[in-house]
Amino acid sequence: MSAPTVARVQGLPYRLPLTSALAWGAHAALNAAEHVLVQVTLSDGTVGLAEATPRPTIYGETAASVMAILAHLEAGLAGVPITDEAALNRVRNSVANNHTARGALDMALHDARARAQGQSLFDHWLGPQPRVRVSFILGIAPPTEMLAEAQRVVEAGVRCLKVKVGRDHRRDLDVIAALRREFGQAVQLYADSNETLTPDTAPAALNAMREAGLLYVEEPLPARDLKARAALHTQGRLPIVADDSCFTPADLARELDFDTFDVLNVKTARNGFTDGHAMLRAAAGRGKRGMVGSQASTGLGTLHAALLATQAEVTEPCELSFVLKLQDDLLNAPIEFQDGWLDVTGLRDHALDPAKLRRYRL
């Protein structure tokens, strides 16, 4: 019996409200999760799902552009057997950039393939580490608000905070000190500078972060400053996490060649399963640590990121708790955390709630 083929690719935009805005970098902010549900329908009626998280200030994508690129790729995908991964990837990669559209399409194709075989993504992607340490993205806000949000998510079971910094270094250190006073060593902390430091200011800033007890710092310098980033890494002041500098496998190859980082932050939201796992393997092969990040994903995207986070190459806390910043979600059950961990096997029965999709669809 021949394998079913791709019959239709479509995107359904939706909007989920946040409990508060997420601010990062020099001036970026997110006030709601305005995402796209990507659906791949096969010739036998099987449907694979994934979440696209367009970020205009990061990738230049919008919900409208995600919809357009899915429509553009649909003609090339139509009629291709769902088991022909090489052919599907050729079509998916026939366009440049459009990271979250292509990443979500990859995950939806994986989901459809598993379902067509009478299985689930858990059968294909659950790795050897089914319990994953989690972190929460603590956005830039007035210090009292940051501390209150930190208290809320720690009460919800999170034990690692990724603190967004970069607009006021002195204030950042004060917030970090307040977090340390509040939680002591029970909560791990690291910083995300989102490329806001300079070659002149970075050494002292990283020294101060190290003295404050942070695990590492993400993207302290602009991604375009390759030589400066390599030089900063050579100084060994604080472990560096690569994110904005490693959007693609080609980016990762460059960064490995120049040895600019210690920990790779892969995001299923932009890399999907295919490139995401390949990047983690490539980095691990060069002695780098791995984590799985969030592009402010809602429940469905978190479920997919969690599966990748169970792979052997993942060594660090992963950004799987953004759902705590949502007022509501599209899943039929909440994602819960226990003493800093997420039991990914407990998500097997989590699925899209059609009624919620109807409520929040745009």
Side-chain angles (χ1 to χ4, degrees):
M1 183 176 179
S2 59
T5 61
V6 176
R8 187 180 184 190
V9 178
Q10 62 184 135
L12 306 176
Y14 62 93
R15 184 182 190 275
L16 291 174
L18 304 184
T19 58
S20 60
L22 173 67
W24 70 92
H27 48 71
L30 181 72
N31 295 298
E34 296 183 348
H35 297 170
V36 177
L37 181 69
V38 177
Q39 293 186 336
V40 172
T41 304
L42 304 185
S43 56
D44 65 354
T46 299
V47 177
L49 301 173
E51 175 186 31
T53 59
R55 293 289 172 266
T57 62
I58 302 173
Y59 308 121
E61 292 177 283
T62 65
S65 76
V66 168
M67 301 282 286
I69 207 67
L70 293 175
H72 174 77
L73 292 174
E74 183 180 33
L77 293 168
V80 178
I82 191 59
T83 54
D84 193 344
E85 294 187 50
L88 294 170
N89 282 328
R90 279 196 298 272
V91 176
R92 190 174 59 86
N93 292 324
S94 65
V95 294
N97 303 317
N98 292 283
H99 300 299
T100 69
R102 293 192 301 113
L105 180 57
D106 177 73
M107 292 184 287
L109 289 167
H110 275 281
D111 188 32
R113 183 179 306 110
R115 292 176 184 274
Q117 297 169 349
Q119 299 178 323
S120 75
L121 285 173
F122 283 81
D123 299 306
H124 288 254
W125 282 103
L126 186 66
Q129 304 177 133
R131 292 181 73 246
V132 179
R133 290 183 295 159
V134 301
S135 62
F136 179 83
I137 304 171
L138 191 63
I140 297 173
T144 55
E145 294 180 18
M146 293 181 70
L147 187 58
E149 183 165 55
Q151 292 168 332
R152 180 176 66 84
V153 300
V154 169
E155 289 175 0
V158 174
R159 297 293 181 268
C160 182
L161 301 174
K162 170 177 168 174
V163 186
K164 293 287 190 178
V165 300
R167 297 183 182 179
D168 183 333
H169 180 58
R170 183 67 258 167
R171 172 201 162 283
D172 295 337
L173 292 176
D174 288 344
V175 169
I176 290 167
L179 291 168
R180 184 61 74 208
R181 287 193 300 272
E182 177 68 22
F183 302 113
Q185 298 303 313
V187 174
Q188 296 177 308
L189 303 173
Y190 66 104
D192 184 0
S193 288
N194 284 114
E195 307 182 57
T196 54
L197 298 175
T198 69
D200 291 335
T201 61
L206 266 61
N207 286 346
M209 291 178 189
R210 182 188 67 243
E211 292 168 5
L214 299 194
L215 295 174
Y216 17 69
V217 59
E218 188 170 301
E219 297 294 10
L221 295 176
R224 65 178 179 274
D225 291 345
L226 179 58
K227 291 183 179 179
R229 290 191 294 106
L232 182 64
H233 180 247
T234 300
Q235 295 171 17
R237 297 175 185 275
L238 186 67
I240 292 174
V241 179
D243 178 10
D244 301 346
S245 58
C246 284
F247 285 171
T248 68
D251 292 335
L252 173 61
R254 178 195 63 233
E255 298 302 310
L256 289 172
D257 284 345
F258 283 85
D259 194 21
T260 59
F261 70 95
D262 302 280
V263 182
L264 174 64
N265 187 349
V266 161
K267 294 182 177 177
T268 47
R270 67 168 175 244
N271 300 124
F273 291 129
T274 301
D275 288 348
H277 195 204
M279 292 171 72
L280 286 169
R281 290 197 306 267
R286 299 286 286 274
K288 306 300 184 183
R289 292 177 276 167
M291 67 168 56
V292 175
S294 171
Q295 206 67 73
S297 299
T298 65
L300 183 61
T302 298
L303 190 155
H304 292 163
L307 283 170
L308 188 63
T310 66
Q311 306 308 308
E313 297 84 3
V314 176
T315 60
E316 309 305 306
C318 296
E319 301 164 11
L320 303 175
S321 62
F322 188 80
V323 289
L324 296 175
K325 202 170 179 66
L326 299 173
Q327 291 186 30
D328 200 358
D329 193 19
L330 298 185
L331 295 184
N332 59 356
I335 296 176
E336 298 179 340
F337 311 95
Q338 181 66 43
D339 198 24
W341 295 83
L342 172 63
D343 179 5
V344 182
T345 60
L347 302 179
R348 278 187 178 272
D349 295 328
H350 284 58
L352 189 75
D353 184 331
K356 288 189 175 183
L357 177 59
R358 288 192 295 271
R359 176 181 179 184
Y360 293 109
R361 183 175 171 180
L362 298 175

